[in-house]
């Protein structure tokens, strides 16, 4: 039997009408990310990427009620197939911080994004799970799946609208 404390990965996929290399570039280059990354209504005002194992994606995001920072620390990169990374909220100096709206959100999550191409279309699959988290943080993460689905759906909608402008 599963309890609310057991890790339950968050999983979401979307198929885009674009070749894998283009979708990969949209995910790994700041000149593209600033046009689509983040929930609808947000704007990326700072973006830095060092795309290598141990490297980082550090971004600042402006939204209706303020600003927040986030970072990915890359663990594995197999271009253009997948990357594995540790996600956290951050400050502008890449220091790990708590979620600005949830004191019990995990400090870090482990994420994996995969890119599979078939017939000129690319399926992106994102999987996140709590990383080195307490029971309370895992419970908060599990309870946040619906909100994460809404956020990623909006983000994927923006990527879908942006991809034709890249090609």
């Amino acid at each position: 039997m599963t309890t609310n404390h057991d890790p339950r990965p968050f999983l979401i996929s979307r198929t885009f009408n674009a070749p894998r290399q283009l979708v990969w570039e949209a995910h790994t280059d700041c000149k593209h990310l600033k046009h689509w990354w983040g929930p609808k209504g947000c704007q990326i005002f700072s973006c830095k990427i060092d795309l290598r194992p141990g490297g980082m994606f550090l971004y600042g995001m402006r939204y209706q009620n303020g600003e927040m920072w986030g970072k990915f620390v890359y663990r594995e990169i197999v271009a253009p197939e997948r990357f594995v990374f540790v996600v956290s909220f951050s400050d502008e100096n890449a220091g790990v911080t708590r979620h600005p709206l949830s004191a019990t959100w995990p400090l870090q999550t482990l994420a994996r994004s995969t890119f599979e191409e078939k017939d000129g279309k690319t399926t992106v699959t994102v999987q996140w799970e709590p990383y080195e988290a307490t029971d309370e943080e895992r419970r908060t993460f599990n309870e946040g799946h619906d909100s994460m689905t809404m956020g990623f759906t909006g983000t994927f909608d923006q990527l879908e609208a942006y991809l034709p402008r890249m090609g």
Side-chain angles (χ1 to χ4, degrees):
M1 184 166 111
T2 303
T3 69
N4 225 7
H5 308 310
D6 293 335
R8 222 180 46 203
F10 170 77
L11 187 65
I12 191 167
S13 291
R14 172 83 69 95
T15 300
F16 299 93
N17 189 18
R20 179 166 66 176
Q21 186 61 41
L22 192 72
V23 177
W24 175 265
E25 288 173 20
H27 278 80
T28 58
D29 189 325
C30 283
K31 74 180 180 186
H32 300 303
L33 277 161
K34 66 182 180 180
H35 293 284
W36 67 270
W37 177 248
K40 285 184 180 177
C42 291
Q43 175 194 13
I44 300 295
F45 66 86
S46 180
C47 182
K48 297 176 187 168
I49 291 183
D50 180 7
L51 190 65
R52 63 178 175 82
M56 184 184 339
F57 166 37
L58 177 67
Y59 63 93
M61 183 182 300
R62 192 168 288 120
Y63 56 99
Q64 186 176 9
N65 298 324
E67 295 179 355
M68 71 173 68
W69 288 83
K71 74 174 183 175
F72 299 176
V73 176
Y74 297 107
R75 293 181 138 198
E76 177 186 358
I77 298 169
V78 181
E81 297 174 16
R82 73 179 172 275
F83 48 84
V84 178
F85 49 103
V86 175
V87 179
S88 62
F89 287 90
S90 175
D91 60 28
E92 63 272 12
N93 298 311
V96 174
T97 64
R98 282 275 171 206
H99 187 303
L101 304 174
S102 174
T104 58
W105 187 259
L107 272 176
Q108 299 181 99
T109 56
L110 181 62
R112 176 184 182 98
S113 293
T114 60
F115 304 79
E116 296 180 56
E117 185 173 359
K118 183 177 181 184
D119 300 325
K121 295 182 179 187
T122 303
T123 300
V124 177
T125 301
V126 176
Q127 180 176 326
W128 282 22
E129 59 190 73
Y131 180 69
E132 297 179 349
T134 66
D135 283 347
E136 184 177 28
E137 290 170 337
R138 285 192 293 276
R139 183 173 49 251
T140 300
F141 180 86
N142 289 347
E143 292 168 354
H145 284 208
D146 288 345
S147 176
M148 292 173 71
T149 297
M150 286 177 26
F152 268 99
T153 297
T155 299
F156 280 164
D157 288 349
Q158 293 175 148
L159 175 58
E160 190 167 55
Y162 178 70
L163 284 169
R165 299 192 325 241
M166 283 182 65

